[in-house]
Amino acid sequence: KELPLTKDVTFTAGKIKTVNFAYDYVKPSKEVVFDFTNPAAYGITPSEEVSKGVEIPESVADGGVTITHVSNSQNKVCIWTKTDNTYEMRAYDSDVITFTVPEGYVIKKLTLTGEKAPDAAISPNIGSYSSREWTGNANPLVLDIKGTLNLYTITVEYDLGESDPEKA
């Protein structure tokens, strides 16, 4: 007989000799959205001057995901004030952005939205990137920026697993 387990079940010794069960386990998946159109959420006060950037902290964390950056360009990774008084994150050629999640988890998908997130702008060492979306299994995920990125949001999806080997 098959019964759905919708509550705790008590078995009485001597009454039941065998219990067979099946359990369908779905890995818990988590999604975190970094919204750079609202920099105050990360403690960042943007410049009041139009077309001027404010460098973001070296690391920004949300929901178990940490973004760190190393800027090798003169412009730095920053929050940019646009002419319509909205904001975006900008990263430049030769900057490096690293995403980490808790130990035992891997990043499965990274999605970028914004005005400028071209396919050629990111060089991941694990997984693949196309059409503003990276997929694979990595922790950490290191992105080497090969152009200018103007981003509104970065969505990170992660769950339990192991990292793929790095590409040669």
Side-chain angles (χ1 to χ4, degrees):
K1 186 172 186 179
E2 187 174 311
L3 301 171
L5 294 178
T6 57
K7 61 182 179 177
D8 290 341
V9 177
T10 303
F11 297 104
T12 306
K15 301 285 185 184
I16 297 172
K17 296 186 182 209
T18 304
V19 175
N20 297 315
F21 68 93
Y23 178 66
D24 294 329
Y25 176 70
V26 177
K27 285 184 181 180
S29 182
K30 300 182 180 193
E31 179 180 284
V32 176
V33 178
F34 289 87
D35 182 358
F36 293 105
T37 64
N38 180 19
Y42 309 105
I44 301 167
T45 304
S47 172
E48 292 182 9
E49 295 179 55
V50 171
S51 300
K52 183 162 183 166
V54 171
E55 187 174 357
I56 68 171
E58 187 176 321
S59 88
V60 176
D62 192 359
V65 179
T66 302
I67 298 175
T68 56
H69 69 88
V70 174
S71 184
N72 296 311
S73 68
Q74 293 179 338
N75 294 312
K76 310 289 184 194
V77 177
C78 62
I79 295 296
W80 200 263
T81 305
K82 296 169 48 178
T83 55
D84 61 358
N85 290 321
T86 61
Y87 309 108
E88 65 188 10
M89 182 190 85
R90 288 193 186 175
Y92 299 91
D93 186 29
S94 75
D95 290 344
V96 176
I97 300 176
T98 302
F99 298 83
T100 55
V101 292
E103 188 175 331
Y105 288 84
V106 293
I107 299 167
K108 305 292 259 180
K109 189 165 147 184
L110 185 86
T111 306
L112 308 174
T113 65
E115 291 179 14
K116 199 172 181 184
D119 290 347
I122 293 178
S123 177
N125 58 351
I126 294 175
S128 61
Y129 176 78
S130 66
S131 296
R132 301 175 185 231
E133 185 176 281
W134 175 91
T135 55
N137 295 297
N139 188 21
L141 172 60
V142 179
L143 302 178
D144 184 12
I145 310 303
K146 300 295 185 190
T148 300
L149 296 179
N150 299 41
L151 302 175
Y152 300 138
T153 64
I154 299 174
T155 302
V156 180
E157 293 179 37
Y158 68 100
D159 63 25
L160 296 169
E162 294 181 15
S163 293
D164 294 335
E166 289 189 11
K167 296 177 184 176

